[in-house]
Amino acid sequence: EAEVAQSPRYKITEKSQAVAFWCDPISGHATLYWYRQILGQGPELLVQFQDESVVDDSQLPKDRFSAERLKGVDSTLKIQPAELGDSAMYLCASSPGSAANEQFFGPGTRLTVL
Amino acid sequence: GDSVTQMEGPVTLSEEAFLTINCTYTATGYPSLFWYVQYPGEGLQLLLKATKADDKGSNKGFEATYRKETTSFHLEKGSVQVSDSAVYFCALKGSGFQKLVFGTGTRLLVSP
């Protein structure tokens, strides 16, 4: 069964350092999403890609966060510099298209900033 | 903007008890509604969905009915198992390019 892959699964870093997360969506899925899930809360969308284009990044803190999906397949989310408040689970999801009802989630990357 | 409100947890039940987790929503138009489940240390899995009023989504013994008149999508299961222990998220998505909006989640703990 096809799955969304993410790496690393866990990341511990010190504040002011740079971190990067990788996501490989289900093959053929045109839409890719990055979510942030703070402990005890529901996921919140950070950025949405349709192929290689950003569709929605209205909740992405652009002063420190960046995301790219250069060839419209896998994607990288970067934080530089990391802050204590960035500690959270970062989830990637994909769907066949933006209008599709179902999104398929990866296992997530748990980030701890010390 | 669109929003989802879930009952606070944890919900603690004994095995074979009846489960209800309440979910209400606020949205413009006619959103699709979802329940996702998150097991410890894992990502979210779609449990069930409903795309229009009066639709009933069901999976693995769980059910939820899209009630437009009460803007609700309550999750139910007749007999829970220990393996159902997880966090359950209610979510909505508007039509087209709208994003998924999640509730805060409800933790379910089932004891033998």
Side-chain angles (χ1 to χ4, degrees), chain A residues 28-103:
Chain A
H29 280 193
T31 310
L32 185 146
Y33 312 80
W34 282 102
Y35 290 86
R36 177 170 59 186
Q37 184 182 16
I38 296 171
L39 190 64
Q41 298 182 21
E44 291 185 310
L45 181 69
L46 291 175
V47 62
Q48 177 180 342
F49 288 93
Q50 179 68 24
D51 298 310
E52 67 275 10
S53 300
V54 173
V55 173
D56 184 351
D57 63 356
S58 57
Q59 300 303 309
L60 188 71
K62 299 181 187 64
D63 57 334
R64 297 185 300 107
F65 286 65
S66 64
E68 60 183 16
R69 192 185 184 198
L70 292 176
K71 296 183 179 179
V73 181
D74 59 339
S75 175
T76 302
L77 178 69
K78 298 179 180 178
I79 308 175
Q80 183 174 16
E83 296 181 353
L84 296 178
D86 296 331
S87 294
M89 176 79 87
Y90 290 84
L91 295 166
C92 179
S94 70
S95 68
S98 294
N101 276 322
E102 184 168 355
Q103 296 181 18

Side-chain angles (χ1 to χ4, degrees), chain B residues 43-103:
Chain B
L44 277 72
Q45 301 174 26
L46 179 66
L47 182 59
L48 54 85
K49 67 180 181 183
T51 58
K52 62 182 186 297
D54 299 325
D55 268 3
K56 177 186 283 187
S58 61
N59 185 27
K60 300 181 181 179
F62 291 90
E63 293 183 341
T65 301
Y66 189 143
R67 301 287 188 199
K68 185 173 181 293
E69 63 276 14
T70 55
T71 62
S72 64
F73 193 55
H74 305 320
L75 182 68
E76 296 182 336
K77 187 176 185 183
S79 176
V80 293
Q81 306 299 312
V82 172
S83 58
D84 293 327
S85 298
V87 180
Y88 292 81
F89 292 93
C90 185
L92 68 82
K93 182 180 182 295
S95 59
F97 291 85
Q98 299 300 312
K99 63 184 180 182
L100 266 176
V101 176
F102 288 88

Side-chain angles (χ1 to χ4, degrees), chain B residues 7-61:
Chain B
M7 62 187 292
E8 289 195 21
V11 173
T12 304
L13 296 172
S14 297
E15 204 165 24
E16 299 184 0
F18 184 85
L19 168 71
T20 300
I21 299 178
N22 290 337
C23 171
T24 57
Y25 67 91
T26 301
T28 55
Y30 304 96
S32 295
L33 302 174
F34 306 84
W35 277 100
Y36 280 84
V37 58
Q38 187 174 34
Y39 297 101
E42 298 184 11
L44 277 72
Q45 301 174 26
L46 179 66
L47 182 59
L48 54 85
K49 67 180 181 183
T51 58
K52 62 182 186 297
D54 299 325
D55 268 3
K56 177 186 283 187
S58 61
N59 185 27
K60 300 181 181 179

Side-chain angles (χ1 to χ4, degrees), chain A residues 3-6 23 90-94 104-109, chain B residues 42-44:
Chain A
E3 295 180 341
V4 176
Q6 289 188 249
C23 172
Y90 290 84
L91 295 166
C92 179
S94 70
F104 297 83
F105 283 79
T109 296
Chain B
E42 298 184 11
L44 277 72

